[in-house]
Amino acid sequence: MLSDRLLESLNLQKLQSTIIKFGTANVLLAVLAIAATALVVDYAHMLYLRSKMPPGPFPLPIIGNTFSLPDNKPWIYFEELSKKYNTPLITFWIGRNPTLWINDAWAAHDIFEKKAQIYASRPRMVVFGELGTGQSNLVTMRILSNADRDHWRIHRKLMHIGVGVQSVRGYREIQNNESKVVALDFLRTPAEYVKHLERYATSVVSIIAFGRRVASYNDPIITEVIALMQLAADLNVPGKSFPMLLETFPFLARFPTFMPWFKGLGIRRNQKGGHYFFKSLADEAVEQYDQKSPSEKASMPTPYAVTLAAEAEKYHLPSAELSSLTGNLFGAGADTSSSTLVTFVLACCAFPEAMQKAQAELDAVVGPTRSPHWDDSPNLPYINAFVKEVLRWRSVAIIGGQPHSPTQDDTYNGWLIPSGCWIQGNVWAIHHNEREFPDPDRFCPDRYIEGHELYRKFPGDRGYMTFGWGRRVCSGQALAEQGTWVTVARLLWGFTIKKARDEKTGKEIDVDIFAYTNGLNMRPVPFRCEILPRTEEIREAIVREGEQALRGLKVHDGESKYRMSTFYQQTREKLKEEVRLDEKGNVQIVKIKK
Ligand SMILES: *[C@@H]1O[C@H](CO)[C@@H](O)[C@H](O)[C@H]1NC(C)=O
């Protein structure tokens, strides 16, 4: 903006000769005067914009509202602001940039869906975009010109080839087989249920992306990919400490990346760049696929890395961009899907009556000798509602993923939404609005059944906004919905999931339905529960189906020689860093002596 431009136009040589001519004191005065004028002009511009935009707290010069952010879970604070001002949209200033927060389903629908064409872009994101993924990643790619739009469309199209609605049907048997294995795992080591769900989710995306399954729940790739994604998700939550503070003071991002406020961001891992890990995985997948026999190839869907390598020639995309697509699929699918399923387990513990009602429907429609399948779905209205409620009650991407940005000035309700600004859907507030979801913290699948007292109208045909909106809706939505449905249905059919009991007192240990992690992709903090097969007949069916599924999945067995945590290690370094999840589910970077 103005002051940035002033700084840039100052030419050092001119500066020197000017100083000699006018004397140091006068020059200092002049510089101060210019700075003061720039500040006043800039602040006046902020206040002018503020007068046209949706209401919000009063911004200070330069720092805006940044320092009134809470330490944790800012989406709850934005929901409160929306209630305080009694408006669906609020404006919150991160430094000199206004960010808009939509706290209402109808406004989100009117803006992001009905005007999808205008809202397809992303704003400038210093931390996650410029220092994180870079500008050639589908997730953060901005649309500032027609060339950008074409480029973005190619990425979107390639992503659709991988996980678009048409392709997703072809992945059903992978998800079905892997979720049968989850049931078997729940039977054998129920206390490790989180690890089983993480293995399931990682394995499904690994088969789709690289043709290779993740067989052991102790495979380090699971923790690594989940920790990496939680870390990435943290970089999306507005904050008042570094590195998020770079969003407020973007000029600090121009310094060399060894400055302390970068907190390690933006440092190239080696001369080949940070995407190189995913490129190596993709190359390895192509090699391993080539070695398979024709009959093996015929019995599995072509891995996305292989399809992509073939398609890419048409579009002349650099390899960094290609591997970012496989990387996105792998990363975005593992953490989010497993978090959703952990939420499902929590809901069963806290709301046993919903679980029992679901089980009564499954007993009547499916019976004990086989587990449910998608073909049963038309006869399972309560299960369908149950899955919707899992996706609504505690949505993973709690602020709807990354912000949108309009490519031209727009208005809503008479308010200005300026071109290029940061506008974000607050899924927490939307899914907690009493008008659409009375008693919102109650897990109640019946609210999705027309005629029930909690049933309310909601824009769109799904009844939730868990996957974002418009042209930036999650590419993996169909895959995630399909997998969540079959896994939730199968686990409900197979198991009684309930609060654990204290060994000494025999008393139930309560679960906390608000104890969630702080990142943008939130998940329940670990809790104990008891998972038991419902009947002996069902137990036998789980074993039979699980073992059959393991045989069916054999074609996807394979090893990778790469590990994320050791990939970029420099030989000179004495300390090695590992990403880990601590017991609260937060990301820790641990230094380990070799
Ligand atoms: C799933 O397992 C069945 C056997 O239960 C097998 O016929 C099928 O090929 C497997 N499919 C995949 C994609 O793993």
Side-chain angles (χ1 to χ4, degrees), residues 457-484:
K457 280 214 169 338
F458 192 84
D461 47 15
R462 280 194 157 75
Y464 50 76
M465 294 182 163
T466 314
F467 294 92
W469 305 265
R471 306 275 156 92
R472 293 288 186 162
V473 73
C474 168
S475 306
Q477 172 167 8
L479 184 71
E481 287 173 335
Q482 183 171 281
T484 306

PDB file of all heavy atoms in Angstrom, residues 457-484:
ATOM      1  N   LYS A 457     -34.643 -25.620   8.025  1.00  0.00           N
ATOM      2  CA  LYS A 457     -34.153 -25.443   6.657  1.00  0.00           C
ATOM      3  C   LYS A 457     -32.692 -24.990   6.680  1.00  0.00           C
ATOM      4  O   LYS A 457     -32.259 -24.304   7.603  1.00  0.00           O
ATOM      5  CB  LYS A 457     -34.997 -24.384   5.946  1.00  0.00           C
ATOM      6  CG  LYS A 457     -36.314 -24.894   5.427  1.00  0.00           C
ATOM      7  CD  LYS A 457     -36.649 -24.160   4.140  1.00  0.00           C
ATOM      8  CE  LYS A 457     -37.817 -24.781   3.376  1.00  0.00           C
ATOM      9  NZ  LYS A 457     -38.113 -26.171   3.666  1.00  0.00           N
ATOM     10  N   PHE A 458     -31.962 -25.385   5.647  1.00  0.00           N
ATOM     11  CA  PHE A 458     -30.553 -25.024   5.538  1.00  0.00           C
ATOM     12  C   PHE A 458     -30.239 -24.861   4.052  1.00  0.00           C
ATOM     13  O   PHE A 458     -30.727 -25.638   3.235  1.00  0.00           O
ATOM     14  CB  PHE A 458     -29.692 -26.145   6.162  1.00  0.00           C
ATOM     15  CG  PHE A 458     -28.247 -25.771   6.368  1.00  0.00           C
ATOM     16  CD1 PHE A 458     -27.853 -25.074   7.506  1.00  0.00           C
ATOM     17  CD2 PHE A 458     -27.280 -26.126   5.432  1.00  0.00           C
ATOM     18  CE1 PHE A 458     -26.517 -24.739   7.704  1.00  0.00           C
ATOM     19  CE2 PHE A 458     -25.940 -25.790   5.637  1.00  0.00           C
ATOM     20  CZ  PHE A 458     -25.559 -25.097   6.765  1.00  0.00           C
ATOM     21  N   PRO A 459     -29.447 -23.855   3.679  1.00  0.00           N
ATOM     22  CA  PRO A 459     -29.170 -23.677   2.242  1.00  0.00           C
ATOM     23  C   PRO A 459     -28.361 -24.841   1.661  1.00  0.00           C
ATOM     24  O   PRO A 459     -27.526 -25.416   2.360  1.00  0.00           O
ATOM     25  CB  PRO A 459     -28.354 -22.379   2.204  1.00  0.00           C
ATOM     26  CG  PRO A 459     -27.807 -22.198   3.579  1.00  0.00           C
ATOM     27  CD  PRO A 459     -28.797 -22.825   4.510  1.00  0.00           C
ATOM     28  N   GLY A 460     -28.604 -25.149   0.392  1.00  0.00           N
ATOM     29  CA  GLY A 460     -27.905 -26.267  -0.254  1.00  0.00           C
ATOM     30  C   GLY A 460     -28.573 -27.576   0.080  1.00  0.00           C
ATOM     31  O   GLY A 460     -29.486 -27.626   0.895  1.00  0.00           O
ATOM     32  N   ASP A 461     -28.129 -28.681  -0.521  1.00  0.00           N
ATOM     33  CA  ASP A 461     -28.875 -29.927  -0.314  1.00  0.00           C
ATOM     34  C   ASP A 461     -28.212 -30.881   0.663  1.00  0.00           C
ATOM     35  O   ASP A 461     -28.685 -31.989   0.889  1.00  0.00           O
ATOM     36  CB  ASP A 461     -29.164 -30.621  -1.664  1.00  0.00           C
ATOM     37  CG  ASP A 461     -27.933 -30.671  -2.530  1.00  0.00           C
ATOM     38  OD1 ASP A 461     -26.825 -30.451  -1.990  1.00  0.00           O
ATOM     39  OD2 ASP A 461     -28.071 -30.928  -3.751  1.00  0.00           O
ATOM     40  N   ARG A 462     -27.083 -30.484   1.252  1.00  0.00           N
ATOM     41  CA  ARG A 462     -26.392 -31.436   2.123  1.00  0.00           C
ATOM     42  C   ARG A 462     -26.743 -31.259   3.595  1.00  0.00           C
ATOM     43  O   ARG A 462     -26.705 -32.204   4.366  1.00  0.00           O
ATOM     44  CB  ARG A 462     -24.893 -31.267   1.971  1.00  0.00           C
ATOM     45  CG  ARG A 462     -24.375 -31.948   0.740  1.00  0.00           C
ATOM     46  CD  ARG A 462     -22.876 -32.047   0.803  1.00  0.00           C
ATOM     47  NE  ARG A 462     -22.390 -33.124  -0.035  1.00  0.00           N
ATOM     48  CZ  ARG A 462     -22.339 -33.056  -1.354  1.00  0.00           C
ATOM     49  NH1 ARG A 462     -22.741 -31.971  -1.973  1.00  0.00           N
ATOM     50  NH2 ARG A 462     -21.892 -34.067  -2.066  1.00  0.00           N
ATOM     51  N   GLY A 463     -27.027 -30.018   3.971  1.00  0.00           N
ATOM     52  CA  GLY A 463     -27.356 -29.784   5.377  1.00  0.00           C
ATOM     53  C   GLY A 463     -26.145 -29.434   6.223  1.00  0.00           C
ATOM     54  O   GLY A 463     -26.248 -29.337   7.444  1.00  0.00           O
ATOM     55  N   TYR A 464     -24.996 -29.254   5.606  1.00  0.00           N
ATOM     56  CA  TYR A 464     -23.810 -28.813   6.343  1.00  0.00           C
ATOM     57  C   TYR A 464     -22.864 -28.109   5.377  1.00  0.00           C
ATOM     58  O   TYR A 464     -23.027 -28.223   4.157  1.00  0.00           O
ATOM     59  CB  TYR A 464     -23.094 -29.984   7.013  1.00  0.00           C
ATOM     60  CG  TYR A 464     -22.818 -31.170   6.111  1.00  0.00           C
ATOM     61  CD1 TYR A 464     -21.781 -31.127   5.179  1.00  0.00           C
ATOM     62  CD2 TYR A 464     -23.590 -32.318   6.163  1.00  0.00           C
ATOM     63  CE1 TYR A 464     -21.521 -32.199   4.338  1.00  0.00           C
ATOM     64  CE2 TYR A 464     -23.351 -33.392   5.319  1.00  0.00           C
ATOM     65  CZ  TYR A 464     -22.307 -33.331   4.411  1.00  0.00           C
ATOM     66  OH  TYR A 464     -22.071 -34.390   3.580  1.00  0.00           O
ATOM     67  N   MET A 465     -21.897 -27.372   5.930  1.00  0.00           N
ATOM     68  CA  MET A 465     -20.923 -26.659   5.090  1.00  0.00           C
ATOM     69  C   MET A 465     -19.501 -27.074   5.449  1.00  0.00           C
ATOM     70  O   MET A 465     -18.563 -26.293   5.390  1.00  0.00           O
ATOM     71  CB  MET A 465     -21.113 -25.152   5.256  1.00  0.00           C
ATOM     72  CG  MET A 465     -22.451 -24.693   4.717  1.00  0.00           C
ATOM     73  SD  MET A 465     -22.701 -22.922   4.850  1.00  0.00           S
ATOM     74  CE  MET A 465     -24.078 -22.719   3.695  1.00  0.00           C
ATOM     75  N   THR A 466     -19.374 -28.342   5.800  1.00  0.00           N
ATOM     76  CA  THR A 466     -18.106 -28.866   6.311  1.00  0.00           C
ATOM     77  C   THR A 466     -16.952 -28.789   5.313  1.00  0.00           C
ATOM     78  O   THR A 466     -15.794 -28.711   5.707  1.00  0.00           O
ATOM     79  CB  THR A 466     -18.341 -30.340   6.714  1.00  0.00           C
ATOM     80  OG1 THR A 466     -19.551 -30.383   7.465  1.00  0.00           O
ATOM     81  CG2 THR A 466     -17.215 -30.893   7.522  1.00  0.00           C
ATOM     82  N   PHE A 467     -17.282 -28.812   4.030  1.00  0.00           N
ATOM     83  CA  PHE A 467     -16.212 -28.913   3.026  1.00  0.00           C
ATOM     84  C   PHE A 467     -15.954 -27.607   2.294  1.00  0.00           C
ATOM     85  O   PHE A 467     -15.294 -27.584   1.272  1.00  0.00           O
ATOM     86  CB  PHE A 467     -16.556 -30.018   2.029  1.00  0.00           C
ATOM     87  CG  PHE A 467     -16.567 -31.388   2.656  1.00  0.00           C
ATOM     88  CD1 PHE A 467     -17.749 -31.921   3.174  1.00  0.00           C
ATOM     89  CD2 PHE A 467     -15.404 -32.127   2.770  1.00  0.00           C
ATOM     90  CE1 PHE A 467     -17.767 -33.178   3.768  1.00  0.00           C
ATOM     91  CE2 PHE A 467     -15.405 -33.377   3.363  1.00  0.00           C
ATOM     92  CZ  PHE A 467     -16.593 -33.911   3.864  1.00  0.00           C
ATOM     93  N   GLY A 468     -16.467 -26.504   2.791  1.00  0.00           N
ATOM     94  CA  GLY A 468     -16.216 -25.226   2.138  1.00  0.00           C
ATOM     95  C   GLY A 468     -17.217 -24.961   1.026  1.00  0.00           C
ATOM     96  O   GLY A 468     -18.270 -25.609   0.950  1.00  0.00           O
ATOM     97  N   TRP A 469     -16.902 -24.015   0.151  1.00  0.00           N
ATOM     98  CA  TRP A 469     -17.896 -23.469  -0.759  1.00  0.00           C
ATOM     99  C   TRP A 469     -17.352 -23.217  -2.161  1.00  0.00           C
ATOM    100  O   TRP A 469     -16.165 -22.985  -2.355  1.00  0.00           O
ATOM    101  CB  TRP A 469     -18.392 -22.125  -0.252  1.00  0.00           C
ATOM    102  CG  TRP A 469     -18.925 -22.136   1.123  1.00  0.00           C
ATOM    103  CD1 TRP A 469     -20.234 -22.267   1.488  1.00  0.00           C
ATOM    104  CD2 TRP A 469     -18.184 -22.014   2.349  1.00  0.00           C
ATOM    105  NE1 TRP A 469     -20.357 -22.234   2.854  1.00  0.00           N
ATOM    106  CE2 TRP A 469     -19.119 -22.077   3.405  1.00  0.00           C
ATOM    107  CE3 TRP A 469     -16.835 -21.859   2.655  1.00  0.00           C
ATOM    108  CZ2 TRP A 469     -18.746 -21.981   4.740  1.00  0.00           C
ATOM    109  CZ3 TRP A 469     -16.454 -21.772   3.983  1.00  0.00           C
ATOM    110  CH2 TRP A 469     -17.407 -21.824   5.005  1.00  0.00           C
ATOM    111  N   GLY A 470     -18.309 -23.149  -3.078  1.00  0.00           N
ATOM    112  CA  GLY A 470     -18.079 -22.628  -4.425  1.00  0.00           C
ATOM    113  C   GLY A 470     -16.924 -23.300  -5.146  1.00  0.00           C
ATOM    114  O   GLY A 470     -16.741 -24.510  -5.073  1.00  0.00           O
ATOM    115  N   ARG A 471     -16.163 -22.481  -5.837  1.00  0.00           N
ATOM    116  CA  ARG A 471     -15.063 -23.034  -6.645  1.00  0.00           C
ATOM    117  C   ARG A 471     -13.920 -23.523  -5.782  1.00  0.00           C
ATOM    118  O   ARG A 471     -12.991 -24.140  -6.265  1.00  0.00           O
ATOM    119  CB  ARG A 471     -14.517 -21.957  -7.598  1.00  0.00           C
ATOM    120  CG  ARG A 471     -15.525 -21.307  -8.480  1.00  0.00           C
ATOM    121  CD  ARG A 471     -15.758 -22.130  -9.762  1.00  0.00           C
ATOM    122  NE  ARG A 471     -17.075 -21.815 -10.297  1.00  0.00           N
ATOM    123  CZ  ARG A 471     -17.296 -20.875 -11.193  1.00  0.00           C
ATOM    124  NH1 ARG A 471     -16.300 -20.174 -11.656  1.00  0.00           N
ATOM    125  NH2 ARG A 471     -18.513 -20.637 -11.629  1.00  0.00           N
ATOM    126  N   ARG A 472     -13.952 -23.188  -4.506  1.00  0.00           N
ATOM    127  CA  ARG A 472     -12.867 -23.606  -3.624  1.00  0.00           C
ATOM    128  C   ARG A 472     -13.314 -24.693  -2.658  1.00  0.00           C
ATOM    129  O   ARG A 472     -12.668 -24.943  -1.644  1.00  0.00           O
ATOM    130  CB  ARG A 472     -12.332 -22.405  -2.844  1.00  0.00           C
ATOM    131  CG  ARG A 472     -11.641 -21.373  -3.712  1.00  0.00           C
ATOM    132  CD  ARG A 472     -10.295 -21.881  -4.195  1.00  0.00           C
ATOM    133  NE  ARG A 472      -9.563 -20.841  -4.900  1.00  0.00           N
ATOM    134  CZ  ARG A 472      -8.242 -20.863  -5.134  1.00  0.00           C
ATOM    135  NH1 ARG A 472      -7.517 -21.885  -4.741  1.00  0.00           N
ATOM    136  NH2 ARG A 472      -7.671 -19.887  -5.800  1.00  0.00           N
ATOM    137  N   VAL A 473     -14.416 -25.337  -3.006  1.00  0.00           N
ATOM    138  CA  VAL A 473     -14.886 -26.423  -2.149  1.00  0.00           C
ATOM    139  C   VAL A 473     -13.820 -27.523  -2.135  1.00  0.00           C
ATOM    140  O   VAL A 473     -13.063 -27.687  -3.087  1.00  0.00           O
ATOM    141  CB  VAL A 473     -16.255 -26.935  -2.678  1.00  0.00           C
ATOM    142  CG1 VAL A 473     -16.080 -27.729  -3.960  1.00  0.00           C
ATOM    143  CG2 VAL A 473     -16.993 -27.747  -1.636  1.00  0.00           C
ATOM    144  N   CYS A 474     -13.726 -28.258  -1.048  1.00  0.00           N
ATOM    145  CA  CYS A 474     -12.721 -29.315  -0.907  1.00  0.00           C
ATOM    146  C   CYS A 474     -12.805 -30.306  -2.070  1.00  0.00           C
ATOM    147  O   CYS A 474     -13.862 -30.850  -2.357  1.00  0.00           O
ATOM    148  CB  CYS A 474     -12.970 -30.053   0.408  1.00  0.00           C
ATOM    149  SG  CYS A 474     -12.053 -31.586   0.567  1.00  0.00           S
ATOM    150  N   SER A 475     -11.683 -30.543  -2.735  1.00  0.00           N
ATOM    151  CA  SER A 475     -11.678 -31.470  -3.884  1.00  0.00           C
ATOM    152  C   SER A 475     -11.982 -32.890  -3.445  1.00  0.00           C
ATOM    153  O   SER A 475     -12.497 -33.681  -4.229  1.00  0.00           O
ATOM    154  CB  SER A 475     -10.314 -31.471  -4.569  1.00  0.00           C
ATOM    155  OG  SER A 475      -9.927 -30.179  -4.912  1.00  0.00           O
ATOM    156  N   GLY A 476     -11.662 -33.218  -2.229  1.00  0.00           N
ATOM    157  CA  GLY A 476     -11.844 -34.591  -1.763  1.00  0.00           C
ATOM    158  C   GLY A 476     -13.184 -34.852  -1.111  1.00  0.00           C
ATOM    159  O   GLY A 476     -13.384 -35.905  -0.494  1.00  0.00           O
ATOM    160  N   GLN A 477     -14.121 -33.916  -1.239  1.00  0.00           N
ATOM    161  CA  GLN A 477     -15.389 -34.050  -0.532  1.00  0.00           C
ATOM    162  C   GLN A 477     -16.090 -35.393  -0.794  1.00  0.00           C
ATOM    163  O   GLN A 477     -16.483 -36.088   0.138  1.00  0.00           O
ATOM    164  CB  GLN A 477     -16.332 -32.905  -0.914  1.00  0.00           C
ATOM    165  CG  GLN A 477     -17.738 -33.097  -0.344  1.00  0.00           C
ATOM    166  CD  GLN A 477     -18.596 -31.855  -0.438  1.00  0.00           C
ATOM    167  OE1 GLN A 477     -18.216 -30.872  -1.066  1.00  0.00           O
ATOM    168  NE2 GLN A 477     -19.748 -31.882   0.188  1.00  0.00           N
ATOM    169  N   ALA A 478     -16.229 -35.754  -2.075  1.00  0.00           N
ATOM    170  CA  ALA A 478     -16.971 -36.975  -2.404  1.00  0.00           C
ATOM    171  C   ALA A 478     -16.270 -38.198  -1.812  1.00  0.00           C
ATOM    172  O   ALA A 478     -16.914 -39.099  -1.263  1.00  0.00           O
ATOM    173  CB  ALA A 478     -17.107 -37.119  -3.919  1.00  0.00           C
ATOM    174  N   LEU A 479     -14.948 -38.201  -1.892  1.00  0.00           N
ATOM    175  CA  LEU A 479     -14.180 -39.315  -1.340  1.00  0.00           C
ATOM    176  C   LEU A 479     -14.368 -39.402   0.176  1.00  0.00           C
ATOM    177  O   LEU A 479     -14.592 -40.477   0.730  1.00  0.00           O
ATOM    178  CB  LEU A 479     -12.694 -39.113  -1.668  1.00  0.00           C
ATOM    179  CG  LEU A 479     -11.763 -40.239  -1.239  1.00  0.00           C
ATOM    180  CD1 LEU A 479     -11.986 -41.473  -2.109  1.00  0.00           C
ATOM    181  CD2 LEU A 479     -10.308 -39.807  -1.301  1.00  0.00           C
ATOM    182  N   ALA A 480     -14.314 -38.261   0.835  1.00  0.00           N
ATOM    183  CA  ALA A 480     -14.418 -38.241   2.292  1.00  0.00           C
ATOM    184  C   ALA A 480     -15.827 -38.649   2.738  1.00  0.00           C
ATOM    185  O   ALA A 480     -15.987 -39.417   3.696  1.00  0.00           O
ATOM    186  CB  ALA A 480     -14.083 -36.852   2.813  1.00  0.00           C
ATOM    187  N   GLU A 481     -16.844 -38.166   2.053  1.00  0.00           N
ATOM    188  CA  GLU A 481     -18.219 -38.521   2.437  1.00  0.00           C
ATOM    189  C   GLU A 481     -18.462 -40.015   2.262  1.00  0.00           C
ATOM    190  O   GLU A 481     -19.054 -40.675   3.129  1.00  0.00           O
ATOM    191  CB  GLU A 481     -19.218 -37.718   1.596  1.00  0.00           C
ATOM    192  CG  GLU A 481     -19.269 -36.254   2.003  1.00  0.00           C
ATOM    193  CD  GLU A 481     -20.121 -35.396   1.075  1.00  0.00           C
ATOM    194  OE1 GLU A 481     -20.296 -35.759  -0.113  1.00  0.00           O
ATOM    195  OE2 GLU A 481     -20.598 -34.349   1.521  1.00  0.00           O
ATOM    196  N   GLN A 482     -17.960 -40.546   1.142  1.00  0.00           N
ATOM    197  CA  GLN A 482     -18.128 -41.966   0.858  1.00  0.00           C
ATOM    198  C   GLN A 482     -17.440 -42.826   1.923  1.00  0.00           C
ATOM    199  O   GLN A 482     -18.018 -43.788   2.431  1.00  0.00           O
ATOM    200  CB  GLN A 482     -17.531 -42.227  -0.530  1.00  0.00           C
ATOM    201  CG  GLN A 482     -17.655 -43.614  -1.053  1.00  0.00           C
ATOM    202  CD  GLN A 482     -17.226 -43.690  -2.518  1.00  0.00           C
ATOM    203  OE1 GLN A 482     -17.957 -43.342  -3.422  1.00  0.00           O
ATOM    204  NE2 GLN A 482     -16.006 -44.152  -2.755  1.00  0.00           N
ATOM    205  N   GLY A 483     -16.210 -42.464   2.265  1.00  0.00           N
ATOM    206  CA  GLY A 483     -15.452 -43.245   3.248  1.00  0.00           C
ATOM    207  C   GLY A 483     -16.033 -43.109   4.646  1.00  0.00           C
ATOM    208  O   GLY A 483     -16.103 -44.085   5.404  1.00  0.00           O
ATOM    209  N   THR A 484     -16.463 -41.897   5.006  1.00  0.00           N
ATOM    210  CA  THR A 484     -17.032 -41.696   6.340  1.00  0.00           C
ATOM    211  C   THR A 484     -18.314 -42.509   6.480  1.00  0.00           C
ATOM    212  O   THR A 484     -18.557 -43.136   7.515  1.00  0.00           O
ATOM    213  CB  THR A 484     -17.323 -40.193   6.575  1.00  0.00           C
ATOM    214  OG1 THR A 484     -16.123 -39.465   6.313  1.00  0.00           O
ATOM    215  CG2 THR A 484     -17.748 -39.928   7.999  1.00  0.00           C
TER     216      THR A 484
END
